[in-house]
Amino acid sequence: MNVCARAVAGIGALSLASAALAQVEDIPPGWGVAMQEHHFGTLLVDRFEYAWSDDNEEALVWDFQGWYGGDRQRVYLKGEGENTQGDGEDAEFESLDLLYSHLIADFWELQGGLGYQGGLGSGDHPERGFAVVGLMGTLPYGIEVDTSLRVSEDGDVSASLEGEYDLRVTQRVILQPRAEIELAGSDVEEFGVGEGLNSTRLGLRLRYQITPKIAPYVGGYWEKQYGQTADFTRDEFGEVEGSGVVAGIRLWF
Amino acid sequence: MPSAPLLSRRQLLQAASLLGLSTAALGVRPTWAAPAGLANVYPQGLEDGPQVSLAVRREARQIAGKTAYPITLNGTSPGPLIRLREGQDASLKITNLLDEKTSVHWHGIILPSNMDGVPGLSYAGIAPGEVFTARFPVNQNGTYWYHSHSGLQEQLGHAGPMLIEPAEPEPFHYDREHVLLLTDWTFEDPRDVFRHLKVAEGYYNRQERTLVDFFDDVAKHGLAETWKQRSMWQQMRMSSRDIADVTGSTYTYLVNGHTAQDNWTALFRPGEKLRLRVINGSAMSYFDVRIPGVKMTVVAADGQPVQLVPVDEFRIAVAETYDVVVEPEADRAYTIFAEAMDRSGYVRATLAPRLGMVAPIPERRRIADRGMEAMAAHGGGMDHASMSTGSSDHSAKAAMDHSSMAGMDHSSMAGTDHSSMAGTDHSSMAGMDHGAHGTAHAPMAEMNHTPADQTASAAHGSGLLAAGVAQPESRYDQAGIGIDPAERRVLVYGDLKARTPWPDRRPPGRELELHLTGNMERYMWSFDGKKFSEVDGPIHFAHGERLRLIFVNTTMMEHPIHLHGMWMELENGAGELIPRKHTLNVKPGERVSALVTADAPGHWAFHCHLLYHMDAGMFRVVKVA
């Protein structure tokens, strides 16, 4: 599989990097290296929440990212999706990306790899694959952003931009505004995507850090669709603007 | 030497120490508590040299009332006091009973490089079940320590004090001595600590600025000023509260293996002069040490004698040692208070005429916010991408500005008191208008003094500062972050003066400038922007040469820089009487220089002594040949 090949290539690159160890000549081989290079991995479930929308829909929503690697090169797995409750359908991944990531500046990583959208093993949702390029990092003022540009297997181009900010109210209470914008280069009716600005989504979450790794939260969101995307939704008798409340937990491993 | 008599001698010593030291162990008193009159120099056991055996194990011990699994040396963690005498031939046998490799580095001891105990440089390390004997002539005296140089073992308590008695009597008098070994213990696996630092910036900081602090500041300084200050830090994506990477949120601070609760007590008779040998054997923690109600007289730094400095408090960087003489007069208890630099915790011991006494614990200070000097270090207001320290060689470029400063006309300065000059208004900086920081560096940038390649011109021996003169941008008159000099007399590097000039009076033949660099967010630490895994080879010193090392700290953290095998003579402005040290604390934004006589052939470790900084790559090899 393509995905696997990419992962293997990425991990290969990582081990190659770690092989470049500082050598001191005329030290007997077998003494080892004075300081080892280390690799790490982590998984952050940024959002794992239950959402109640103002049009009486309920959904389980998730958004996670994990990585493994060194200081400059890493392999990322990112996933975002939801399972609408009571619609008789299985969960859908809005995106599931496997990316190679390279540190290009102190606060910025350039990422590229493969993406997937669909039901992951379920026939309830249409599927498509992407080539993904992204830029992830922190803007001045500590605003964390994750952008990605996608080209689907059919050549359809789309982009997304996410930003969030942690405002520390106390050592444990953190207010997090977040914003998400989706754009597309062409109409893809099957996925309800219209050309141009698709949607914006704003959220505000207040979390309580029991430990830095476990933080339950409550919050709310507002979202709106635009243009052809909104029309596609209307055709399906869906709401193009709405809001909701959420309760969830942020986890970190 | 045949081994049989050696063994019996050892048994004799053991028997003696059992009788002499540990009578209390049989009774109800804590094991460290020996009645006044006996020498309870150090509670974790004594190994008298020159022949010493250390068995290294991992075993369960009680720390702060909980079961912990430290690395022990002869059954204690931290390990026993090794006592040697100047002029002896030390023979220190280490038996590794761990299930991984280990090593012991004799910190601050001048010895052959194959005895220095650094795996990969001195030897391959000591494999499980193996024995290694470090043999070296003891040509110095003073207070030192030893610790593992393998992985993160030091964090597990693999450390202990080492005391070398002088061959000649010392020029000061004392009646009794105590060792105070400060360490930081965590119940977490050190590998987890490292991972937390690597994957989640600020993981251990529970003193971040909050909205509450913001409103407090607005009330104090007004909205405009507060906004200006805060927005600068925010623009830099940094925390001004980043004082310590690993804090009291996971650490239990220990003195001689005992918590503040345990209240380890050092005994004295009123009127006696006590010599306290204070060693910072922490993995990551700087401490501020004081004894309320008692003036301390600093008599030695890093084991080397210095001219007496009376102080109320001293900051001890990781791996440093200070010897102070105190003379508590009243028949009462005194608290020895060691507060972590970021104020996230403390440890205390008690100085008392009898056991079971306590004195009040002084009021804790609040964490300070880093100010202009730290921002300047990071190039505040400048283009950050170009200051990038982790991902490119830009730091080398930044270096140019600084090295060109060395070309300034210092002749006019040479006569003035540099220690006071360097920092005149720095102490007031915390209260300064931080908004003005953008201009702080401007004059420097404009001082486009020629020699871009300072090192090359230095090779000719021209254009260098005179030996012993303090670098501009050093702050030897300041103890550092969180210290209010108006509150009490605190030791600063500018106070340290050798008793007599150190033997090599040659001026430096060249300068070697190293930038201390890092990327906080990724927890990457390095010299000149390159982690150890990224450098091609060692730093070369020519055997016998006299050179000047210059450290420029471009990060916002303090770094205790340690050179193995050779002394660093700290150019703190004391001219001929510059002190020599094995570990130099370099504050954020500071430019610190030291003279080195490269008289020790071999490969030597050279690194930041913050354990996780070193392991993250702030490590180099110095090759003297």
Side-chain angles (χ1 to χ4, degrees):
Chain A
M1 242 179 97
N2 262 343
V3 169
C4 288
R6 184 76 209 188
V8 168
I11 289 159
L14 288 172
S15 51
L16 217 114
S18 66
L21 293 167
Q23 301 298 332
V24 180
E25 76 278 25
D26 64 279
I27 283 214
W31 279 15
V33 182
M35 284 297 131
Q36 297 286 344
E37 177 76 353
H38 305 277
H39 287 165
F40 296 91
T42 185
L43 176 68
L44 169 68
V45 181
D46 195 20
R47 291 181 296 146
F48 186 68
E49 64 197 21
Y50 203 81
W52 295 267
S53 74
D54 58 355
D55 55 346
N56 294 316
E57 237 182 42
E58 294 176 20
L60 185 69
V61 181
W62 64 85
D63 177 0
F64 68 83
Q65 59 174 57
W67 60 260
Y68 178 80
D71 290 326
R72 302 183 201 282
Q73 302 180 80
R74 291 172 179 174
V75 173
Y76 270 81
L77 183 68
K78 297 186 199 174
E80 215 177 318
E82 63 174 53
N83 191 1
T84 307
Q85 303 295 293
D87 65 353
E89 291 182 350
D90 288 336
E92 185 192 8
F93 272 91
E94 275 170 47
S95 65
L96 182 63
D97 299 345
L98 185 66
L99 307 169
Y100 164 78
S101 180
H102 195 97
L103 185 73
I104 53 167
D106 271 2
F107 293 95
W108 295 98
E109 285 172 80
L110 185 62
Q111 309 187 320
L114 297 175
Y116 168 87
Q117 178 183 10
L120 203 69
S122 150
D124 292 341
H125 305 278
E127 292 181 302
R128 57 176 173 166
F130 302 91
V132 184
V133 177
L135 188 66
M136 191 171 95
T138 309
L139 284 169
Y141 291 92
I143 301 161
E144 287 177 29
V145 296
D146 191 359
T147 64
S148 73
L149 186 70
R150 295 159 184 275
V151 182
S152 79
E153 56 206 22
D154 299 324
D156 298 309
V157 178
S158 59
S160 74
L161 195 132
E162 272 180 48
E164 58 184 46
Y165 179 77
D166 278 356
L167 180 69
R168 219 172 257 276
V169 181
T170 72
Q171 294 302 326
R172 287 176 184 273
V173 178
I174 293 160
L175 188 67
Q176 184 192 64
R178 75 192 301 279
E180 221 177 304
I181 299 169
E182 303 279 345
L183 304 143
S186 51
D187 290 352
V188 188
E189 192 171 355
E190 193 187 7
F191 290 89
V193 170
E195 190 185 331
L197 178 62
N198 293 177
S199 63
T200 55
R201 190 175 167 116
L202 302 175
L204 191 65
R205 283 166 183 75
L206 188 69
R207 71 174 186 264
Y208 180 81
Q209 287 194 346
I210 298 170
T211 74
K213 292 182 177 176
I214 305 170
Y217 62 83
V218 292
Y221 68 87
W222 170 86
E223 63 186 345
K224 185 173 165 59
Q225 294 181 347
Y226 307 91
Q228 187 62 45
T229 306
D231 291 344
F232 286 142
T233 303
R234 282 191 203 99
D235 293 347
E236 303 269 319
F237 308 106
E239 299 287 330
V240 299
E241 187 178 346
S243 58
V245 294
V246 299
I249 190 161
R250 184 181 193 266
L251 296 168
W252 189 96
F253 303 95
Chain B
M1 199 181 282
S3 63
L6 197 143
L7 258 175
S8 63
R9 179 193 152 78
R10 200 178 139 58
Q11 282 162 342
L12 208 76
L13 282 171
Q14 275 179 336
S17 75
L18 203 76
L19 289 170
L21 244 181
S22 315
T23 46
L26 307 166
V28 285
R29 279 188 296 261
T31 51
W32 43 263
L38 286 181
N40 62 333
V41 172
Y42 176 74
Q44 305 281 87
L46 169 70
E47 296 294 337
D48 234 326
Q51 274 93 28
V52 165
S53 295
L54 292 177
V56 187
R57 294 186 184 85
R58 184 95 192 252
E59 52 191 339
R61 286 288 177 273
Q62 292 288 306
I63 296 176
K66 283 191 273 184
T67 302
Y69 292 90
I71 292 179
T72 63
L73 299 133
N74 292 356
T76 69
S77 181
L81 170 65
I82 296 178
R83 197 184 263 274
L84 302 172
R85 176 170 279 275
E86 191 175 1
Q88 285 177 335
D89 284 314
S91 168
L92 312 174
K93 189 172 104 180
I94 304 134
T95 306
N96 182 7
L97 299 172
L98 302 174
D99 55 11
E100 60 177 353
K101 279 190 178 184
T102 193
S103 56
V104 181
H105 165 59
W106 317 100
H107 190 112
I109 309 297
I110 302 301
L111 39 56
S113 80
N114 61 344
M115 295 294 145
D116 195 43
V118 180
L121 298 181
S122 313
Y123 57 0
I126 310 166
E130 280 194 2
V131 175
F132 175 82
T133 305
R135 295 173 209 275
F136 54 88
V138 181
N139 294 325
Q140 64 196 97
N141 66 73
T143 305
Y144 303 93
W145 64 299
Y146 60 91
H147 60 84
S148 169
H149 225 286
S150 300
L152 301 172
Q153 289 177 358
E154 201 191 316
Q155 179 74 86
L156 291 166
H158 188 326
M162 180 176 238
L163 191 163
I164 305 174
E165 283 165 17
E168 306 284 324
E170 283 161 298
F172 52 89
H173 164 79
Y174 59 94
D175 304 298
R176 191 196 294 266
E177 64 183 348
H178 295 287
V179 170
L180 295 162
L181 174 65
L182 302 166
T183 54
D184 43 18
W185 171 260
T186 172
F187 289 91
E188 288 185 274
D189 186 322
R191 287 169 299 186
D192 288 337
V193 174
F194 197 23
R195 196 176 81 89
H196 291 149
L197 294 170
K198 275 285 188 183
V199 308
E201 192 198 357
Y203 182 87
Y204 291 105
N205 194 343
R206 305 286 187 278
Q207 303 180 95
E208 293 283 14
R209 286 191 63 90
T210 65
L211 216 50
V212 179
D213 294 312
F214 181 81
F215 289 128
D216 280 355
D217 280 6
V218 171
K220 261 183 249 160
H221 309 297
L223 180 63
E225 174 54 32
T226 306
W227 184 260
K228 209 159 61 178
Q229 244 185 68
R230 284 304 111 205
S231 71
M232 261 186 309
W233 283 98
Q234 288 274 298
Q235 273 181 38
M236 295 192 330
R237 296 156 280 192
M238 297 271 170
S239 165
S240 59
R241 293 276 178 87
D242 207 338
I243 312 289
D245 299 337
V246 189
T247 70
S249 68
T250 188
Y251 276 151
T252 302
Y253 301 109
L254 304 175
V255 54
N256 296 343
H258 294 274
T259 63
Q261 281 282 300
D262 293 345
N263 189 32
W264 183 70
T265 301
L267 295 173
F268 72 95
R269 287 202 182 93
E272 270 184 337
K273 279 193 169 163
L274 307 177
R275 177 186 196 166
L276 305 179
R277 299 174 180 267
V278 187
I279 302 162
N280 189 351
S282 295
M284 293 294 284
S285 311
Y286 279 50
F287 290 99
D288 292 315
V289 181
R290 67 190 147 120
I291 308 172
V294 174
K295 198 85 182 170
M296 302 183 285
T297 303
V298 179
V299 297
D302 287 5
Q304 299 299 294
V306 294
Q307 295 185 20
L308 310 185
V309 192
V311 298
D312 298 312
E313 182 171 36
F314 62 91
R315 168 161 293 177
I316 184 163
V318 171
E320 285 187 319
T321 75
Y322 285 104
D323 288 35
V324 297
V325 170
V326 297
E327 203 173 347
E329 278 169 12
D331 184 42
R332 67 166 177 94
Y334 297 87
T335 296
I336 304 172
F337 188 62
E339 195 175 21
M341 180 168 68
D342 73 328
R343 312 304 178 217
S344 65
Y346 68 91
V347 63
R348 63 97 185 249
T350 296
L351 213 53
R354 288 169 299 283
L355 287 175
M357 298 176 77
V358 287
I361 288 176
E363 196 188 334
R364 304 264 308 273
R365 286 166 285 198
R366 273 177 55 83
I367 189 170
D369 279 287
R370 290 208 188 272
M372 186 173 123
E373 71 288 348
M375 260 196 262
H378 197 73
M382 289 165 62
D383 174 14
H384 282 286
S386 74
M387 285 296 282
S388 167
T389 48
S391 42
S392 66
D393 60 351
H394 286 302
S395 59
K397 246 181 270 165
M400 297 293 183
D401 287 353
H402 293 279
S403 61
S404 67
M405 288 214 40
M408 274 174 61
D409 178 14
H410 290 291
S411 50
S412 63
M413 279 185 212
T416 67
D417 178 2
H418 265 66
S419 52
S420 69
M421 191 201 72
T424 0
D425 55 359
H426 279 73
S427 52
S428 62
M429 203 171 259
M432 270 180 64
D433 177 8
H434 293 281
H437 89 284
T439 58
H441 259 48
M444 214 182 62
E446 286 160 20
M447 272 192 298
N448 200 7
H449 294 284
T450 32
D453 188 357
Q454 190 64 35
T455 334
S457 78
H460 303 290
S462 62
L464 298 191
L465 285 186
V469 167
Q471 296 285 318
E473 290 183 276
S474 59
R475 300 200 305 275
Y476 299 133
D477 65 334
Q478 289 170 56
I481 184 80
I483 293 277
D484 179 358
E487 213 171 350
R488 55 183 73 88
R489 175 70 168 86
V490 184
L491 181 76
V492 293
Y493 269 7
D495 291 329
L496 301 175
K497 288 188 177 70
R499 291 193 153 265
T500 51
W502 296 113
D504 192 349
R505 299 316 324 144
R506 287 179 290 163
R510 65 172 177 126
E511 283 182 349
L512 187 67
E513 183 167 317
L514 281 162
H515 283 220
L516 318 184
T517 48
N519 175 337
M520 273 310 298
E521 215 211 4
R522 295 254 160 168
Y523 211 72
M524 293 160 74
W525 298 102
S526 53
F527 289 106
D528 287 343
K530 282 188 172 161
K531 299 187 294 177
F532 181 60
S533 59
E534 297 167 337
V535 296
D536 307 327
I539 295 168
H540 292 273
F541 289 3
H543 187 214
E545 78 167 320
R546 177 87 164 158
L547 78 163
R548 170 178 285 145
L549 285 178
I550 301 175
F551 307 126
V552 181
N553 187 351
T554 72
T555 77
M556 288 207 212
M557 309 293 291
E558 288 74 11
H559 298 284
I561 302 296
H562 175 43
L563 173 64
H564 289 221
M566 288 155 280
W567 292 110
M568 294 185 286
E569 293 170 35
L570 172 67
E571 294 187 289
N572 62 350
E576 280 218 307
L577 294 174
I578 53 175
R580 66 183 189 185
K581 297 186 90 262
H582 49 62
T583 307
L584 294 179
N585 175 35
V586 187
K587 302 190 279 287
E590 202 175 22
R591 185 181 170 89
V592 166
S593 73
L595 299 178
V596 175
T597 300
D599 56 1
H603 293 98
W604 300 101
F606 169 71
H607 58 94
C608 174
H609 217 285
L610 296 177
L611 182 63
Y612 300 100
H613 285 195
M614 174 175 79
D615 227 48
M618 206 163 186
F619 183 96
R620 286 286 174 95
V621 175
V622 166
K623 183 180 176 181
V624 181

